[in-house]
Amino acid sequence: MPAALGFATIALFLLLTMTKRVSVLVALVLLPVLAALAGGFAGELGGMVLDGLSKVAPTGIMIAFAVLYFSLMVDAGLFDPLIRGLLRLAQGDPLRVTVATAVLTLCVALDGDGASTFLITVSALLPVYRKLGMSPLVLSGVVCLAAGVMNMIPWGGPTVRAMAALKLESSDVFTPVLPAMGFGIAWVLVASWLIGRRERRRLGALTGPGEKTTAGEPVAASGAGPVPATAPTPGDGPGAVRVAAPAPRRLTLFNLLLTVVLVVALILEVMPLPVLFVLGFAVALLVNHPTWEQQQALLDRHAKNVVLVTTMIFAAGVFTGVLTGSGMIGDMAEALVSVIPDSLGGHLPVLVAVTGMPLSLVFTPDAYYFGVLPVLAETAHGFGTDPAEVARAAVLGQMTTGFPLSPLTAATFILVGMSGVQLGEHQRFIFRWAFATTLVMTAGAVLTGALSL
């Protein structure tokens, strides 16, 4: 009975959220409550909900202050010098511009928010692409690859959801896959170089030496073109995201040093992640906005993003708390173990990683991580595999490279909309490169012991 009730709850959750009949938050809270009542767990319901909420509380705190911290840094213009420097180094060469696109996205995506990453990178680089006559598909595709890999950071969507769904720490999920993430970053740079070289050749075939691009500028024999005299910044144009003036140079240096120290402390796990982000944000807020009015204005600007993310995390705590406390997930896993051949059971983490990206085109992130992943983790546990290993596999595959391609995530439409490309064209152009990223990182995880084969 609990297994059947659990499968029915997850199926109904997927149906309602994928057809947009109800919001994900409503489904996460009400469906497990109704299932618990139907299963005769009414007397235990309060305790199960509180247990689930208490276990995701550290994750909710971490993501709230991480969003605030990096939103402050974006407002302060921390990434503007990087943008201008990369454009100067690119020197109008399509290959260099493409690689610079990847590097810029890798850096900006540290905020863990795909929407803001796309807003900053596309608004900064699209005028350059247009001036050189480069295809906007190259821009959307390379940004997709780089943002996908960086989405693995502990305050990014996939890792946060995986930790919340399975009640794990970042040391269980993220730290072991750091080397694999390095493999992914290296592959993204190689892929961007190959894509840029192809784009340089395409432009060279369209415009020979001494001829003009659509922007009316001479193009060298290599396919290189001029660099705009004034490089756009995230605060320019219709895609602008900054609402505050750029910080003075001394503040920019301080913000850079603080961010580097924070990232190093996160990797070394000097303190728990929630504590580090709480302290980091408090220091950054005091230094960048010393008056009460300024501090309140920044909190008002970014309150919506914080509320949207944290409420989802706590709603997930209700969902997993009820399904776990009632025994539904355990019984569901036992049912799956009984039908999966023993020969495949030991390879489940690798299978989850490899199939994760195609599944991202079918499942929303919430549906996969909160509805499917707990069952997969318990199933793997039945075969003697650590559930944390399945969480790592899910992060490597399901949304790491899938979210900038999936029609089920809103950020994808920000990327294709600002780039001026069709979703289908974008998917056809970059899918094989994105799937290759998943394969490279999965192989890296196996080689470094994060996943067992």
Side-chain angles (χ1 to χ4, degrees), residues 292-310:
W292 180 89
E293 291 80 9
Q294 292 174 337
Q295 295 169 6
Q296 193 64 32
L298 182 130
L299 292 173
D300 288 342
R301 281 198 300 272
H302 301 292
K304 179 181 178 181
N305 291 335
V306 174
V307 170
L308 288 174
V309 174
T310 53

Side-chain angles (χ1 to χ4, degrees), residues 91-116:
Q91 298 179 355
D93 181 358
L95 189 153
R96 294 185 181 185
V97 169
T98 306
V99 175
T101 301
V103 174
L104 175 62
T105 307
L106 289 169
C107 296
V108 175
L110 277 171
D111 68 349
D113 178 26
S116 65

